[in-house]
Amino acid sequence: MTALATAPFPWTDVWGQDAAVQTLRQAAADPASLSHAWLITGPPGSGRSTLAYAFAAALIAEGPDDEATMRQVLARTHPDVTALRTDKVIITIAEARALVERSYFAPSAGRYRVIVVEDADRMVERTSNVLLKALEEPPEKTVWVLCAPSEADLLPTIRSRVRALRLREPDVDDVARLIAARTGADAAVAEQAARHAQRHIGMAQRLATDDDARRRRDETLRAVLGVRGVSTAVEVAGTIIQAATDDAKSLTAERDAAERAALLRTVGIAEGQAVPPALRAQISALEDDQRKRATRSLRDGIDRVLTDLQSLYRDVVMLQFGRGDELINRELRDELDRVAEAWPVERTIIVLDALADTRESLERNVAPLLAVESLLVTVSSGRTP
């Protein structure tokens, strides 16, 4: 573990980002070091949102001893922290406008009002433009904290108005030690999970604690390695999409049912009772939000599979260049060796390009099944359809 494990509250849950913590601790303590808007970037699983809320807690609290306020901020219940994390495909203009309106309120209890946008990369251009004025002319006691995978995910006009803070990528061994300490997983399982997750802490924790997740990942990679033509490409693509759909449903079904039940209780409708016409619009709005969330969950699941496949063919390239000591998928070494010997490097690069293109296509609302089928045809043939 790094020295950061003993960092003072509220930074105790921020792991492996000593330099970033030091910068934000100084900014929270010294107004001369504080910018009105920040952009925290880093790969998925690097702890962007954890750091953002620790920063918010330090800003809002009256001092390092005001632990009660900091815990309230970390619990997202303090009136001076406003958070936006979307489960949908994009952040809407209405959501952005609500944030901007909130940003002009003076702090009600703390030193600052803090606006945290966890998924700033999910703003389209029109939505980003809504934020510009608030970022250009912010109220004196309001601080914006945006989170995104990289600076390139935001418009240049947004980037020019924020102070960027890039998080480091932890080493596999460091992530493995963290996962073992958090979950009690066997050291070998934790190392494999950290490696397969490509140092994504959240995904590594899931792989280390979920036997089914590890099994599904292994079966998917082996199935793709076994694709030999159009027919098997179509079959494996269907299997991948079905598995991602089932996973997405399992993640959202319980939450959807709880939200519907809570809404019905709020408006005084008993379970099984017909919904009056005057209230159907509320039910329809909830169902629409849930469908959007399900779409996002499905796309995230497919993107995770594509990320795993990128690691697979990245390993093939490494073997083709004689770097077999740095493989992500060591457990598949024999299969990877066969592909590396059978394919020219150019074909592997074509497949990696197709994987990147497929991930981009899914963000543009291309039908997932067609996109994955096209990808696997390229895998089996070495040519783009």
Side-chain angles (χ1 to χ4, degrees):
M1 297 292 290
T2 68
L4 192 57
T6 59
F9 193 79
W11 311 95
T12 46
D13 286 338
V14 182
W15 178 85
Q17 305 294 344
D18 302 67
V21 167
Q22 180 60 33
T23 296
L24 295 181
R25 286 182 66 187
Q26 181 177 353
D30 180 9
S33 302
L34 181 63
S35 298
H36 69 277
W38 297 75
L39 171 61
I40 300 176
T41 64
S46 59
R48 300 185 304 252
S49 60
T50 302
L51 181 61
Y53 289 111
F55 183 37
L59 284 170
I60 293 171
E62 292 299 331
D65 297 326
D66 188 7
E67 186 171 318
T69 295
M70 290 189 283
R71 290 192 181 281
Q72 194 177 1
V73 174
L74 295 178
R76 323 291 198 264
T77 58
H78 195 283
D80 290 332
V81 62
T82 301
L84 177 58
R85 179 185 186 278
T86 184
D87 291 315
K88 305 171 191 174
V89 177
I90 62 171
I91 293 174
T92 66
I93 289 179
E95 289 171 323
R97 285 175 176 159
L99 282 185
V100 170
E101 180 180 348
R102 190 78 175 172
S103 74
Y104 286 102
F105 294 172
S108 61
R111 294 189 300 149
Y112 293 93
R113 177 169 297 281
V114 183
I115 312 292
V116 179
V117 184
E118 292 190 35
D119 305 287
D121 54 305
R122 294 186 184 176
M123 293 188 296
V124 297
E125 183 173 354
R126 289 189 304 159
T127 306
S128 296
N129 289 334
V130 171
L131 298 185
L132 283 179
K133 183 173 176 60
L135 294 177
E136 289 172 340
E137 303 173 9
E140 182 181 358
K141 292 295 184 178
T142 293
V143 178
W144 287 81
V145 185
L146 312 182
C147 302
S150 71
E151 293 184 43
D153 292 314
L154 277 72
L155 294 177
T157 48
I158 295 287
R159 299 200 301 265
S160 67
R161 290 163 173 80
V162 299
R163 179 175 174 183
L165 194 64
R166 175 73 181 177
L167 303 189
R168 63 176 289 271
E169 292 191 62
D171 295 330
V172 168
D173 290 343
D174 289 337
V175 174
R177 284 194 293 272
L178 176 68
I179 297 304
R182 282 185 177 178
T183 68
D186 177 79
V189 172
E191 187 279 334
Q192 182 191 72
R195 181 164 34 86
H196 286 178
Q198 298 176 68
R199 297 171 291 185
H200 186 301
I201 294 172
M203 183 55 62
Q205 185 161 319
R206 183 183 182 190
L207 289 174
T209 57
D210 188 335
D211 292 341
D212 289 339
R214 294 199 300 273
R215 175 186 53 76
R216 284 196 300 271
R217 182 186 187 278
D218 183 70
E219 289 176 352
T220 298
L221 297 191
R222 291 181 185 277
V224 171
L225 286 170
V227 170
R228 293 293 181 267
V230 173
S231 61
T232 51
V234 171
E235 179 182 351
V236 172
T239 301
I240 289 172
I241 297 301
Q242 187 60 54
T245 301
D246 292 343
D247 201 29
K249 286 181 179 178
S250 69
L251 292 172
T252 59
E254 185 176 345
R255 179 176 174 181
D256 289 352
E259 287 177 345
R260 181 182 175 86
L263 176 58
L264 292 177
R265 284 196 304 271
T266 300
V267 298
I269 300 174
E271 186 69 30
Q273 182 180 346
V275 178
L279 298 176
R280 287 174 187 167
Q282 296 182 49
I283 300 296
S284 295
L286 174 63
E287 290 173 346
D288 184 55
D289 283 345
Q290 290 176 342
R291 281 193 294 271
K292 291 176 180 177
R293 186 167 64 208
T295 298
R296 181 76 254 173
S297 182
L298 173 60
R299 289 185 182 177
D300 286 347
I302 297 171
D303 189 70
R304 184 68 240 173
V305 172
L306 296 178
T307 301
D308 289 336
L309 293 179
Q310 283 181 321
S311 77
L312 190 74
Y313 292 103
R314 170 261 187 203
D315 285 349
V316 172
V317 169
M318 297 295 283
L319 288 170
Q320 289 171 330
F321 283 98
R323 299 293 299 275
D325 56 331
E326 298 181 13
L327 301 184
I328 293 171
N329 301 284
R330 297 173 190 164
E331 296 76 12
L332 299 174
R333 177 61 185 265
D334 291 343
E335 293 87 342
L336 294 171
D337 279 333
R338 284 194 288 270
V339 174
E341 293 171 5
W343 287 10
V345 174
E346 292 77 10
R347 177 171 173 176
T348 314
I349 298 300
I350 288 173
V351 170
L352 285 168
D353 287 343
L355 279 160
D357 291 342
T358 302
R359 294 182 70 184
E360 292 180 6
S361 296
L362 290 173
E363 289 297 325
R364 297 195 299 268
N365 294 323
V366 171
L369 181 58
L370 292 178
V372 177
E373 285 178 351
S374 177
L375 167 67
L376 295 186
V377 169
T378 297
V379 170
S380 67
S381 67
R383 297 186 300 273
T384 304

